[in-house]
Amino acid sequence: MLTLPEIETLARTAHAGQTDKAGRPYAEHLRAVAEGVRARGGDADLIAAAWLHDAVEDDALSEAWLAAAELSDRTKAVVLAVTKRAGETPEAYAGRILATPGALLVKEADLAHNADPARLAVLDGPTRTRLTEKYARMRALLGLTHQRS
């Protein structure tokens, strides 16, 4: 099995050169989500999933790579659960997250970092408003009634 430091290195390499909406290195988001999962009591499987949570969605790593990777079945299931699919409704996406043990914790940490006011503040007004509404809607669909940082 891959160790957490190996998974971190792999995720950082897979997302090398990518930036978030604010122009920051994408690895900063991955680190923040992994730390958010750890702070919420997540175990090594969920921390691994946090490092990889956007890898398939962003085409940084393929589903075939994930299937063959030396990762726990639980980590793989969580990564697939939080991977948005083209044309999928927010309700279907939320349902898959809720149906997959551990996925809600990873998505909660992801949403917390995405909705961080400091990150949103550097975006233009319309983008900030659109994303704030999008994240609030997903939190509601997931039953996340309060936000933890």
Side-chain angles (χ1 to χ4, degrees):
M1 292 298 228
L2 293 169
T3 65
L4 282 175
E6 289 169 332
I7 292 165
E8 176 183 348
T9 298
L10 195 137
R12 287 178 179 277
T13 301
H15 288 278
Q18 290 181 342
T19 57
D20 67 11
K21 291 172 182 67
R24 303 290 308 158
Y26 205 78
E28 290 179 10
H29 172 64
L30 302 177
R31 180 187 44 76
V33 175
E35 286 305 313
V37 167
R38 184 186 319 272
R40 287 168 173 79
D43 61 15
D45 284 347
L46 298 183
I47 295 166
W51 276 108
L52 299 170
H53 79 277
D54 279 335
V56 174
E57 184 177 319
D58 291 350
D59 293 323
L61 296 170
S62 69
E63 276 194 60
W65 176 89
L66 183 65
E70 292 183 26
L71 299 165
S72 73
D73 289 342
R74 184 168 170 239
T75 295
K76 293 176 186 184
V78 170
V79 171
L80 291 175
V82 300
T83 298
K84 292 180 199 147
R85 290 156 176 66
E88 181 174 45
T89 66
E91 293 79 7
Y93 178 56
R96 187 175 58 254
I97 291 168
L98 291 170
T100 306
L104 181 61
L105 187 72
V106 173
K107 190 62 185 176
E108 181 182 15
D110 179 38
L111 286 168
H113 189 246
N114 283 339
D116 180 337
R119 287 186 81 211
L120 293 171
V122 301
L123 304 175
D124 63 80
T127 300
R128 184 172 50 250
T129 298
R130 178 181 60 79
L131 292 176
T132 298
E133 290 170 358
K134 174 184 168 184
Y135 302 145
R137 178 166 186 231
M138 184 53 57
R139 288 186 61 77
L141 288 171
L142 294 170
L144 298 170
T145 56
H146 66 283
Q147 181 152 340
R148 298 185 281 176
S149 10

